[in-house]
């Protein structure tokens, strides 16, 4: 299982390296943002694709490190359309492995269950990772 996760992480990292044509974004002060200003000013959201982010819980505490994989509002992930509410992310590292996911499925209920896989996360609970 560890070898499989390491292979998945390697694949994700190669995707990130390939998609690093984006500019760096100013640091965000809070983890929870209003949906009109999540991470990027309006009109620059597409620059977030491939960026490393922190996923936060309902209290605004970081629970995982992830990469934004899709901003396509019509895309379906975990049975949900991304729409205006979600980003598609892949979790790289769990800060709080037992933290629950916002959207669960049969195999993934906690952050740890989702490491290395694509999930949806509320846009309002995503923060640019400046580390």
């Amino acid at each position: 299982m560890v070898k499989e996760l390491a292979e998945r992480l390697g694949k994700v990292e190669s995707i990130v390296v390939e998609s690093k044509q984006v500019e760096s974004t100013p640091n965000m002060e809070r983890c929870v943002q209003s949906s009109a200003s999540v991470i990027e000013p309006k009109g620059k959201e597409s620059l977030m694709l491939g960026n490393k982010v922190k996923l936060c819980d309902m209290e605004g505490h970081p629970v995982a490190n992830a990469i934004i994989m899709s901003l396509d509002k019509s895309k379906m992930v975990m049975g949900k359309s991304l729409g205006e509410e979600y980003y598609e992310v892949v979790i790289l590292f769990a800060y709080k492995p037992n933290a629950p996911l916002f959207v669960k499925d049969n195999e993934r209920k906690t952050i740890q269950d989702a490491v290395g896989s694509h999930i949806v996360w509320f846009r309002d609970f995503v923060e640019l990772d400046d580390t």
Side-chain angles (χ1 to χ4, degrees), residues 59-92:
E59 289 81 37
H61 301 115
V63 295
N65 181 280
I67 296 172
I68 295 186
M69 300 304 288
S70 180
L71 309 168
D72 181 354
K73 294 175 179 159
S74 65
K75 186 170 184 182
M76 296 287 289
V77 180
M78 297 180 75
K80 300 275 187 191
S81 175
L82 296 182
E84 297 288 335
E85 293 185 308
Y86 300 106
Y87 286 127
E88 176 187 9
V89 300
V90 63
I91 297 180
L92 301 176

Side-chain angles (χ1 to χ4, degrees), residues 4-98:
E4 181 181 312
L5 286 176
E7 289 173 358
R8 289 172 117 185
L9 181 58
K11 288 178 185 177
V12 169
E13 289 173 342
S14 68
I15 291 169
V16 171
V17 169
E18 291 172 8
S19 65
K20 277 301 179 185
Q21 72 261 6
V22 296
E23 301 172 20
S24 90
T25 306
N27 297 340
M28 301 307 288
E29 294 179 3
R30 296 180 42 117
C31 199
V32 179
Q33 304 283 324
S34 69
S35 36
S37 64
V38 174
I39 301 175
E40 286 278 335
K42 290 180 184 178
K44 293 190 178 180
E45 189 174 67
S46 64
L47 296 176
M48 289 307 300
L49 189 61
N51 274 333
K52 220 160 122 179
V53 294
K54 291 180 185 174
L55 306 180
C56 301
D57 60 15
M58 295 296 280
E59 289 81 37
H61 301 115
V63 295
N65 181 280
I67 296 172
I68 295 186
M69 300 304 288
S70 180
L71 309 168
D72 181 354
K73 294 175 179 159
S74 65
K75 186 170 184 182
M76 296 287 289
V77 180
M78 297 180 75
K80 300 275 187 191
S81 175
L82 296 182
E84 297 288 335
E85 293 185 308
Y86 300 106
Y87 286 127
E88 176 187 9
V89 300
V90 63
I91 297 180
L92 301 176
F93 179 79
Y95 301 132
K96 295 183 179 180
N98 296 322

